[in-house]
Amino acid sequence: MADPTQADVARAAGVSTALVSIVMRDVPGASDETRRRIREVADQMGYVPDERARKLRQTSSRLIGVTFDLHQPFHGDIVEHLYAASARHGYDLAISAVAPTRDEDTALRALLRERCEVGVLLGSTLSDEALATTAERVPLLLVARRSEADTISSVRSNDVEGVGLAVDHLVALGHRHIVHVDGGHAPGADDRRLGFAEACQRRGLVPLVVAGGPTEAEGFEATADLLTSLPNVTAIVAFNDRCAAGALDLLVRRHRDVPADVSVIGYDDSRLAIGPHAQMSTISQNAAEMAESAIDGALSLLAGGRAQEVVLTPHLVARSTTGPVRG
């Protein structure tokens, strides 16, 4: 059975289709009693307004397009806050996921078809050239990623400082043999490697870095390798919380006590960090603050403002996966 239309509601309520349209668009032209009656009839019939068609008729869609990695918990946390931040300005979000079977180009093209007024890309892996080309069609703002393109805004955490906080925390607990499981080619990995190296040198330590990545599997594999090649390691600074979760999984399977034998600290303070099985120490990027800054920056671009880079200050969240070095 076809979904009821405005014409169906009008016939059932005994009014014109134009009057039903006025009520559904919530514009002047109908009394309170008429509005109540029409909405009651519409509810009884199961009528649902076609929001997409309404937006197509508007000069402004008032839509902010968002791409995010479906497998990154921190991206989900940011999206949740983006909804609230955009609603405060009278905007809605159009969400397009990036997944192993759906690349970022596809996700971004879907947003352009939705007539989004500005794009907010979380952890984008597109080249600066590709981003600059897209920015000629719609303003773009990157989250958790820097860009050299002068037409694109960005909001990110100070990753150099953030990893430095992790190293300082572990040194304060007596650790001297600390290793960084890096993020490979993921956005932010270069800055976090640099931050780790600078913090170790500042503390008189040798920077030990092993190849990892942004997923649990890569954290698991890297930790298995480092336990063989670097058996004296007492602490791990993981690229992100997913990587740290993989490291913790491996350590549990190898019957290594956390944090008595090996301390582990992640990055992001995502929902993984406060799971039921581990209260993970981590570096918080503050998803709520990042989302607010992203929406402010996106709307500034819409108003004709210049592209800007906003760098937020991360902070340490110490939980149960880090502790004093044994002995």
Side-chain angles (χ1 to χ4, degrees):
M1 183 178 178
D3 293 333
T5 65
Q6 286 191 5
D8 296 328
V9 175
R11 280 192 295 272
V15 299
S16 68
T17 302
L19 189 55
V20 173
S21 177
I22 285 172
V23 171
M24 294 306 166
R25 288 184 291 121
D26 200 21
V27 297
S31 68
D32 290 343
E33 175 59 26
T34 298
R35 291 178 189 277
R36 182 191 62 76
R37 183 164 58 88
I38 289 175
R39 290 193 180 280
E40 283 184 356
V41 171
D43 288 344
Q44 291 168 3
M45 296 180 68
Y47 170 75
V48 178
D50 189 343
E51 289 296 314
R52 186 169 181 176
R54 181 180 66 81
K55 287 182 169 65
L56 286 172
R57 291 190 296 269
Q58 294 176 333
T59 302
S60 168
S61 68
R62 301 196 73 78
L63 273 179
I64 298 173
V66 178
T67 62
F68 75 107
D69 188 329
L70 192 63
H71 289 174
Q72 288 292 348
F74 183 60
H75 287 189
D77 296 341
I78 295 176
V79 168
E80 180 178 356
H81 292 292
L82 285 173
Y83 272 114
S86 60
R88 283 192 283 272
H89 294 277
Y91 279 79
D92 199 359
L93 302 184
I95 304 296
S96 191
V98 179
T101 56
R102 190 173 192 258
D103 63 23
E104 191 175 354
D105 280 325
T106 302
L108 189 51
R109 285 197 300 270
L111 293 180
L112 295 176
R113 289 195 297 270
E114 293 291 331
R115 296 177 65 247
C116 295
E117 297 185 32
V118 61
V120 175
L121 314 185
L122 309 189
S124 175
T125 59
L126 295 176
S127 68
D128 282 342
E129 182 180 4
L131 291 168
T133 299
T134 302
E136 294 174 359
R137 299 178 59 188
V138 62
L140 293 181
L141 180 141
L142 307 180
V143 175
R145 145 92 191 266
R146 67 167 78 239
S147 171
E148 301 301 323
D150 58 10
T151 59
I152 298 173
S153 288
S154 64
V155 174
R156 62 182 180 85
S157 170
N158 187 331
D159 289 331
V160 172
E161 179 180 344
V163 169
L165 292 174
V167 173
D168 290 345
H169 169 62
L170 293 168
V171 170
L173 292 171
H175 294 276
R176 304 291 296 176
H177 301 285
I178 306 170
V179 66
H180 176 44
V181 177
D182 76 3
H185 299 293
D190 288 342
D191 281 351
R192 294 180 197 181
R193 275 188 292 266
L194 175 62
F196 182 77
E198 290 183 349
C200 286
Q201 290 164 1
R202 188 172 62 247
R203 293 290 190 164
L205 307 179
V206 176
L208 302 174
V209 179
V210 298
T215 69
E216 292 91 342
E218 288 162 320
F220 184 100
E221 293 170 5
T223 304
D225 291 340
L226 74 86
L227 289 183
T228 299
S229 60
L230 301 168
N232 293 328
V233 164
T234 63
I236 296 171
V237 178
F239 169 72
N240 63 6
D241 291 343
R242 288 185 69 191
C243 182
L248 290 169
D249 185 16
L250 185 282
L251 291 169
V252 169
R253 291 170 185 262
R254 293 288 179 86
H255 305 291
R256 303 293 290 272
D257 187 277
V258 177
D261 294 329
V262 182
S263 286
V264 178
I265 184 166
Y267 202 108
D268 285 342
D269 197 22
S270 66
R271 65 194 69 184
L272 271 181
I274 51 174
H277 302 298
Q279 290 289 305
M280 187 190 298
S281 294
T282 186
I283 301 300
S284 173
Q285 298 196 72
N286 195 329
E289 182 184 12
M290 192 167 278
E292 289 284 353
S293 296
I295 294 300
D296 288 345
L299 296 182
S300 174
L301 287 175
L302 274 180
R306 294 175 61 86
Q308 296 183 5
E309 180 183 51
V310 175
V311 182
L312 303 176
T313 302
H315 64 273
L316 170 73
V317 181
R319 296 192 179 101
S320 66
T321 60
T322 53
V325 67
R326 189 188 293 275

